[in-house]
């Protein structure tokens, strides 16, 4: 059974500052496609809100999310959680 290489569309990571993380990835990769940082749970009817509840559970409360994509379209999804330990609050 051949198991490698495997493909994937994106990874998710937790960051302490969403805007700094977006800048870092943009500086590192050069020009990137970007889904700008957004605060989740402020807009009660946003479809992404329900997706995040399904993925993370309802107890996370307010958090930011953004995506950058490399030139080969691998996505890096970044989460900045308000409840994250040692995080700079937004």
């Amino acid at each position: 059974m051949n198991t490698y290489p495997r493909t994937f569309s994106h990874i998710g990571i937790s960051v302490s500052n969403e805007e700094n993380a977006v800048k870092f990835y943009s500086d590192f990769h050069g020009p990137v496609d970007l889904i700008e940082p957004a605060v989740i749970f402020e807009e009660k009817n946003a479809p992404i809100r329900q997706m995040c509840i399904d993925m993370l559970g309802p107890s996370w409360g307010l958090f930011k999310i953004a995506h950058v994509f490399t030139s080969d379209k691998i996505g890096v999804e970044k989460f900045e959680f308000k409840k994250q330990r040692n995080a700079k609050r937004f």
Side-chain angles (χ1 to χ4, degrees):
M1 178 162 116
N2 185 1
T3 58
Y4 293 100
R6 294 185 186 257
T7 61
F8 63 96
S9 64
H10 74 281
I11 60 170
I13 60 172
S14 179
V15 298
S16 62
N17 184 294
E18 191 73 52
E19 288 75 15
N20 287 348
V22 168
K23 182 178 179 341
F24 168 80
Y25 282 97
S26 296
D27 290 348
F28 181 78
H29 288 288
V32 294
D33 293 330
L34 172 67
I35 298 174
E36 295 288 339
V39 177
I40 302 300
F41 292 166
E42 285 188 341
E43 176 55 56
K44 298 293 184 192
N45 296 320
I48 194 170
R49 180 178 187 271
Q50 187 59 51
M51 181 193 73
C52 290
I53 290 171
D54 293 345
M55 182 176 59
L56 301 170
S59 64
W60 284 101
L62 192 70
F63 65 94
K64 291 182 184 179
I65 187 172
H67 296 78
V68 296
F69 299 92
T70 64
S71 61
D72 56 351
K73 302 302 179 196
I74 300 298
V76 180
E77 180 178 30
K78 293 166 307 322
F79 298 93
E80 179 186 339
F81 295 101
K82 186 172 184 179
K83 294 180 180 181
Q84 180 175 327
R85 276 190 289 176
N86 301 322
K88 179 180 177 185
R89 302 294 181 225
F90 57 94

